[in-house]
Every structure is written in structure tokens, then in C-alpha cells.
Amino acid sequence: KQIVDLVPVTRNPCPGCPHRASYYALKQALRQSGKGGKEDSFIIPDTGCNSSAGSAMKMANAKWNLGSSIAIMNGLRHSGVADREIVATIGDSAFLHGGVAPLMDMTQHGVDGMVVVMDNAGNAATGHQPTASMGVTAQGWDTKQINFALIAKACNVDFIKTVDPYSLKDAQAAMVEAISKKGGQRMVVSSRECAFTALTRRKLEKAEVALYYVNEEQCTGSKVCVSEFGCPAIYLKENGKASIDEQLCIGCGVCADLCSNDAIGARGQA
């Protein structure tokens, strides 16, 4: 069956955005599992920062309304699409808005598919209003936090794992494991606070964070950090070596994990 790509390239996510790390881990996991080709997988990002990150990283094949990604995946399976890995990616606010009901439908009807909930603890795309996973009310009071893994367990999802996308290798390993569980419902919750929120809090608390730099002697100019990962804080110099703009870097450290040449490190650390 032919599936039309309906997603335009949109804005690049912020430096340190956890969604970028989640998508990079997913991209590598699909490749590692032999599902990295255009005809081998179909990614459905949901509306918001999630879809912006997905489309910018060329990890988006279809998108519709807020909270619809899991339902679209269900529809594709029910219509007979069975020749590829289908992954629905959805943000925390979108999942709570419209993702729970189709997740129940997914388990009720035995739909084979993978869901990645990208939880950045807030409605980042619309002004950082708190979601139920943030542990804060709309008035700013502390409250209980919703647990996405427990929601998935209550829906009887077959495979559930929670990861921190900044721990890139662990996130990729969890996604590889989820992809390997063919024939059931699989969910990976990738949870990390929005980089903008974290940066704002650090400034208010006057906390110091180690920023990252590129050791040019070790950099081979592979361009993976720019072309594959695409953090706006990383750029290429005229000599083809990568460099990091300290005015944009927030110190997430994900770039250091993905550099196979160990050319990226934190200032002040040996």
C-alpha cells in the first residue's frame, strides 16, 4: 500500500531539547533492528514540539490533529498495512488530551505497534502550561504526578519501559528491545524536562552548568553531530571540524554520547 508523506519540514527544536535525543535514539534503534529504510518503518508524530522535532530530523511520515497519532497507527493496521514497523510518537500533553482512548483501543483489538511518549513535563509548544505529569497545578501548587507507565499498565500494554533520553545508549537499547517484541503493544516513555524550562530554572537559581566543547584534534569531521543530530548549538567551521556555540549550549551532554571519536567533552572535566 502506498502511504503519502504529508509532513513539511518545520522549525528545528531548541538546543538540548529532549525530543531530539528521543528521535535520535529511535532512529538508531530502527537502523540497528533493520528497520531504518524508508519502506521498513512509518513514523507518526503528534502535534506540538514532538512533530516539530520529528519533521526536522526527518523522522515523520504523517501527522494530523492533537492526540491522533496512536489512532492513526491503529487505523493503518486495521486497513491492512502490515509490511513495516509503525511507531506513534506523542508528547505528554497530547497523550493526556487524546492518546489514552486509542491506546485502550490498541490493546482491545490487538494492534501491533509501538508508542513512544515523549514527556517533557509541560505544554512547551504553547507557553509551558503544566500537564498532569508535571506535579504542579495550573495555580502553581504542588500536586500528584500522573505516571504514563502505570497508565500503559492499566491498559494492558505488553511491553513498557521508561527512559531518560539524555542517557542515549539506554534509550536506544530500550527502543531496540521494544521493536524486537513484534506482535504486541509496546510503549517507551522517554521522560526529561523541557530544556527551556530547565534553563530558565537554572538562571533563577543561579546554578552553574558545565558547557561542552569540541576537541579539534580528535574531531574527524564526520558531521554526525550536525547532519544526524542537528543541535543548533553545533556548527561546522571552515576547516570541516565541529564547534559548539557556548551561547546556545545548555550542557545536556547528549552530543558527547553520540560522538564516536570522543571529541566532545565538558569544560572543567578531565
Side-chain angles (χ1 to χ4, degrees), residues 182-195:
K182 192 69 177 172
Q185 302 82 50
R186 297 148 278 153
M187 178 184 284
V188 175
V189 181
S190 189
S191 185
R192 165 65 69 156
E193 181 184 27
C194 168

Side-chain angles (χ1 to χ4, degrees), residues 43-73:
I43 315 299
I44 311 167
D46 218 291
T47 300
C49 289
N50 177 279
S51 60
S52 296
S55 55
M57 295 188 71
K58 299 180 181 179
M59 291 287 288
N61 298 104
K63 178 179 79 71
W64 199 243
N65 294 326
L66 184 70
S68 65
S69 61
I70 301 173
I72 293 173
M73 176 173 64

Side-chain angles (χ1 to χ4, degrees), residues 70 73 87-88 90 95 103 106 113-117 186-188:
I70 301 173
M73 176 173 64
V87 183
I90 186 167
F95 180 77
L103 183 67
M106 185 182 179
M114 178 175 166
V115 177
V116 180
V117 177
R186 297 148 278 153
M187 178 184 284
V188 175

Side-chain angles (χ1 to χ4, degrees), residues 93-121:
S93 58
F95 180 77
L96 295 170
H97 170 79
V100 179
L103 183 67
M104 290 189 289
D105 179 74
M106 185 182 179
T107 57
Q108 179 186 0
H109 294 96
V111 173
D112 169 35
M114 178 175 166
V115 177
V116 180
V117 177
M118 298 186 183
D119 172 25
N120 63 357

Side-chain angles (χ1 to χ4, degrees), residues 117-259:
V117 177
M118 298 186 183
D119 172 25
N120 63 357
N123 289 292
T126 59
H128 300 275
Q129 301 88 349
T131 64
S133 66
M134 193 174 180
V136 178
T137 67
Q139 294 84 5
W141 304 330
D142 291 338
T143 188
K144 298 176 181 178
Q145 286 181 280
I146 296 297
N147 187 305
F148 293 110
L150 291 180
I151 292 175
K153 184 178 180 180
C155 291
N156 207 18
V157 171
D158 295 311
F159 174 89
I160 308 162
K161 207 152 224 182
T162 299
V163 297
D164 179 351
Y166 280 8
S167 298
L168 202 56
K169 292 179 181 178
D170 292 339
Q172 181 177 332
M175 292 182 188
V176 168
E177 186 179 359
I179 294 167
S180 72
K181 306 289 185 180
K182 192 69 177 172
Q185 302 82 50
R186 297 148 278 153
M187 178 184 284
V188 175
V189 181
S190 189
S191 185
R192 165 65 69 156
E193 181 184 27
C194 168
F196 185 87
T197 305
L199 184 60
T200 301
R201 189 183 66 256
R202 289 175 192 168
K203 288 181 177 179
L204 291 172
E205 296 172 353
K206 297 182 179 179
E208 293 187 8
V209 178
L211 302 181
Y212 284 73
Y213 73 101
V214 176
N215 182 334
E216 284 200 21
E217 292 183 2
Q218 290 181 241
C219 177
T220 62
S222 70
K223 302 180 179 63
V224 171
C225 55
V226 176
S227 61
E228 290 281 319
F229 190 58
C231 177
I234 307 174
Y235 64 96
L236 293 178
K237 300 173 71 173
E238 291 183 0
N239 62 3
K241 304 284 188 176
S243 186
I244 296 176
D245 186 340
E246 291 191 359
Q247 297 301 312
L248 295 177
C249 177
I250 73 159
C252 73
V254 178
C255 57
D257 282 346
L258 65 87
C259 180

